[in-house]
Every structure is written in C-alpha cells, then in structure tokens.
Amino acid sequence: MNRVEDRYAYSLALALSGGGFRGAAHIGVLRVLEGYGLQPDFIAGTSSGSLIGALYASGKTTSEIESIACHVFWPGLLRTQGIRHFSQKYLPSTFEELRVPFHVAVTELPSWKTRVFSSGELAPALAASCATPYLLHQVRIGTTRYTDGGWASVLPATICRKNAARIVIGSDVWYRSSLAKNAGISTHNKLARPIYSRQYLEAFRQCDVVIQPHITPLSMIPNCASIRRMIASGVQAARKSLADCPVLAA
C-alpha cells in the first residue's frame, strides 16, 4: 500500500440522507453499486437512511431489503416502539454485530448539534435518528434527549470524511434539496444559502458524487408499488451519476 492510500481508513463510504418514505430510493442506489462491484466499507445514515444503511450493513442484499420494505407498514416507524420492533425482527442488537462499519447521525437536544452513534445498542440510535420532528418526537438515551438526525446532519457525508474515507458517495433523497434542484437552484447558485441549509451545503461539498433520485408525487403513497417506483428512480439516478464520476473511473 502506498503513502497516499495509507491516509485512508476506508476506500468507499456511503452517506445515506434522511427523507422519510423517500428513503426507499436508497435501495436502488445500493443495487447499482452492487452491479458495479462497488462494496462500501463504511456507511453513515440519517433518519430513513439509517434504517436502509443498517439493513445493508448487517449483510442483507438489496433484494432482501426491498422485500422487507414491502412488508413493513412504514407509518408504524414514526414512533420509537415501531423502530424497536423493526430492529428486533430484522437487525442485530448492536453496532458491533454489523458486517460493515456503520454510523448513525442524530440531533442532540437542547444544543441541536450532531451526535454520532457507532457502538452499543443499535435500536435506540435508529429510533433517535428517525424521531419525526413534525410530531415533536424525542428519544432519550441515558440522560440525553435526541431528535431527528436531519436537523443537524441530513446528508451525513462529513461523518464519512472525518473517518478517513477515500471516496464518498452521497445518496440524497431530502425533499427540500429535491425541490430546489427541480426549481433549477443548484448548490452553487447565489440563492443556495437561504434555500439549502448550511450543514447540507457542507455535506454536499464533502461528496465525490451526489446521487439525487427523481421521486414523483405518485411514489409518495406508502405501498409496495411506490416502493418499487422509488427503487427504480434510485437505480436510474445512480447509473447516470456514477457513469459521470471521474474518481470512480480512476
């Protein structure tokens, strides 16, 4: 291994954004990576991205994750107990039992700063990262309260860089960034700062490539057909973005 490679602990890191039900599109992104023979050796996830990331880090294939997504009643994951039942059924108990190093972004209260979980019990970290802000939902771990990771780190690419990843791929299904992109406002636009959050813009800059699936309103209906449409949108976006990524071609 040469000196350049020595600087990196991981070859390929994947940052999976929050985005609620839209997170199913992450499955399509993972499927394309599988097809290209690209195996992430580090994964960071926020909110719905933490659920998909945990399933993949546990060793499940994208076909298995798709099957799980089609059988889970997604609105039931809006509360802590639903996440705990999901974790007990489909995931190991701890981070240490996962096959791929995995970090979960949550928002600590009352500071509203990012906190990263990467060891210990998995279910509480996932529940905290998925705590729906619009329901004023909070999760207590120990003596500290947490809420949805998207408030502080909606696209956890910075976590990947801080853990010395050589290449960082971002899969972004955040609704606000999708609206901005559809309106023609890129992250380099002079209007970017008031439209996107500061933490999102920084995360975007940390990525070698950001995959942004185009998810139609019809796909937002929580059923299996919508999940498959979102997976297909993830596949389409990933193929296009990865084909144009010079870092992966090197």
Side-chain angles (χ1 to χ4, degrees), residues 127-146:
S129 191
C130 295
T132 311
Y134 306 110
L135 300 180
L136 302 179
H137 187 194
Q138 300 175 9
V139 172
R140 186 179 293 274
I141 301 177
T143 59
T144 307
R145 293 175 297 118
Y146 303 95

Side-chain angles (χ1 to χ4, degrees), residues 10 14 32 43 59 63 73 78 87 103 108 135 145 184 196 207:
Y10 302 100
L14 185 62
V32 172
I43 302 172
S63 294
F73 182 60
L78 295 176
S87 298
H103 289 208
E108 185 174 321
L135 300 180
R145 293 175 297 118
Y196 299 95
C207 294

Side-chain angles (χ1 to χ4, degrees), residues 74-198:
W74 282 85
L77 298 179
L78 295 176
R79 305 302 296 180
T80 301
Q81 204 56 36
I83 296 289
R84 291 186 184 277
H85 288 157
F86 174 89
S87 298
Q88 289 170 1
K89 186 171 183 179
Y90 298 112
L91 292 167
S93 299
T94 67
F95 282 88
E96 288 77 10
E97 296 170 81
L98 297 172
R99 295 186 183 182
V100 178
F102 177 58
H103 289 208
V104 174
V106 302
T107 302
E108 185 174 321
L109 298 173
S111 68
W112 295 94
K113 293 182 178 180
T114 302
R115 169 77 183 275
V116 180
F117 285 95
S118 59
S119 63
E121 286 189 88
L122 186 58
L126 296 176
S129 191
C130 295
T132 311
Y134 306 110
L135 300 180
L136 302 179
H137 187 194
Q138 300 175 9
V139 172
R140 186 179 293 274
I141 301 177
T143 59
T144 307
R145 293 175 297 118
Y146 303 95
T147 191
D148 179 36
W151 283 109
S153 182
V154 70
L155 178 63
T158 302
I159 295 171
C160 298
R161 286 296 181 200
K162 286 183 177 178
N163 282 274
R166 185 174 72 88
I167 298 172
V168 176
I169 296 175
S171 180
D172 174 26
V173 297
W174 189 34
Y175 187 55
R176 193 196 302 181
S177 64
S178 174
L179 289 176
K181 182 182 178 183
N182 291 339
I185 303 172
S186 75
T187 55
H188 303 293
N189 191 289
K190 63 181 180 180
L191 296 176
R193 180 58 65 86
I195 298 296
Y196 299 95
S197 66
R198 180 185 298 179

